[in-house]
Amino acid sequence: MSSDWYLMTSSNLGGFEEGNFMGDRGGFKELIDSFRGKAIDIYGDKPTNTPAHVRAIVQNVTADTPANADQRQLLCEIGNLQCGQYIKFDNKWWLVVSLVDNNMVYEKAVVWYCNYRLKFRFPGGTAVNEYPIVLNNATQYNTGVEFGKMLDIGSTQRLIFVPYSADTIKVDHDYRFLIDRNIANPTAYKVTQVDTEQYDFDGHGVVRWTITEDQLRDKDDVANMVADNTTSTVAADDETGGGWLDASSV
């Protein structure tokens, strides 16, 4: 019959599959313990946590495009990785941003390079925290400035990726940060969107904050790059004048 070509007429199942599978697992363990493997530190959702020390294979080290140069793939023994973890190796911070899954031999995760160290206080807290973050430019093909009647306001947008935790979930709309390499005259930003769902995997994951350029305040701690969040502001843009006013004075 014409359908005979796709019917199975033989099988590779011979009763030794479990042994072969365990051999694959053992081979992977030997591989990560060899020169091909690398020691990595897993910090969980805070850079101040005590790290777990494991070995992994780091892939995509020699990326051929700039877009992939700050991404890596980690292969680990099953049970070590999950989305939203800080990973440190080669003296660099990385963030697990993918759903972690396995092929029953090893598990695999995608990590992004943390390209900025953000200083801020969590809402309701007094301590200054420093978090490695993934910071991306979200301003598309414009001047980065909105021109008003009396005041030109920057419209630059950024995306921040941080681990989901009981602390980071507290940050909401209008929370402010100072972000700049020019620490003498830094740029202020405020949160305009909070995405807690897209990178949520079984209660673990990543929070994405969309931030938009804001005005510096007198109370901003420029010397330590910590933004003021003790007062709210409103924009005044009418015929009599423009600027930023303390909400308590309105």
Side-chain angles (χ1 to χ4, degrees):
M1 296 179 59
S2 60
S3 60
D4 287 345
W5 65 272
Y6 67 84
L7 297 179
M8 294 181 63
T9 58
S10 63
S11 172
N12 291 323
L13 303 180
F16 301 101
E17 294 76 32
E18 184 174 355
N20 293 336
F21 172 73
M22 295 307 295
D24 290 339
R25 271 197 168 182
F28 177 74
K29 180 67 167 60
E30 291 179 2
L31 189 60
I32 61 175
D33 287 338
S34 72
F35 72 95
R36 186 65 179 85
K38 183 184 291 289
I40 68 172
D41 295 329
I42 303 176
Y43 283 80
D45 59 7
K46 295 180 182 178
T48 54
N49 288 339
T50 301
H53 309 289
V54 302
R55 292 187 66 81
I57 292 176
V58 182
Q59 296 181 320
N60 201 40
V61 176
T62 54
D64 56 357
T65 63
N68 293 329
D70 57 356
Q71 301 179 24
R72 300 289 187 271
Q73 298 167 165
L74 299 184
L75 307 183
C76 254
E77 289 188 273
I78 297 172
N80 289 294
L81 303 174
Q82 65 185 25
C83 186
Q85 288 175 326
Y86 278 126
I87 309 287
K88 193 174 186 180
F89 58 89
D90 294 338
N91 203 33
K92 297 180 178 66
W93 288 96
W94 304 80
L95 180 63
V96 179
V97 295
S98 68
L99 173 65
V100 177
D101 214 333
N102 68 81
N103 61 1
M104 295 187 292
V105 175
Y106 56 81
E107 62 185 6
K108 183 176 183 178
V110 176
V111 297
W112 290 348
Y113 173 62
C114 296
N115 57 344
Y116 193 81
R117 303 291 289 271
L118 180 65
K119 294 182 179 180
F120 64 104
R121 294 182 179 90
F122 287 116
T126 58
V128 175
N129 304 277
E130 184 171 328
Y131 268 52
I133 63 170
V134 177
L135 181 66
N136 292 335
N137 192 338
T139 306
Q140 294 293 324
Y141 309 112
N142 63 38
T143 61
V145 177
E146 291 183 354
F147 300 98
K149 296 179 182 178
M150 303 297 295
L151 184 67
D152 296 340
I153 301 173
S155 62
T156 302
Q157 290 187 327
R158 300 282 190 268
L159 296 177
I160 294 176
F161 296 83
V162 294
Y164 167 83
S165 71
D167 292 320
T168 57
I169 197 65
K170 297 176 184 176
V171 175
D172 212 330
H173 293 77
D174 295 330
Y175 213 72
R176 301 176 67 254
F177 305 103
L178 299 184
I179 300 176
D180 212 320
R181 292 180 65 182
N182 179 9
I183 59 177
N185 184 31
T187 303
Y189 294 87
K190 66 179 178 180
V191 177
T192 55
Q193 185 184 60
V194 178
D195 186 348
T196 62
E197 299 85 22
Q198 182 175 355
Y199 299 89
D200 176 19
F201 303 113
D202 297 325
H204 304 282
V206 173
V207 176
R208 183 180 66 188
W209 299 325
T210 303
I211 57 174
T212 303
E213 191 171 341
D214 194 21
Q215 296 293 296
L216 275 174
R217 299 180 185 174
D218 291 338
K219 291 186 177 181
D220 286 334
D221 185 357
V222 174
N224 294 303
M225 289 295 289
V226 179
D228 170 59
N229 281 290
T230 60
T231 59
S232 60
T233 58
V234 294
D237 187 12
D238 52 27
E239 298 297 334
T240 60
W244 289 84
L245 305 177
D246 190 311
S248 62
S249 66
V250 178

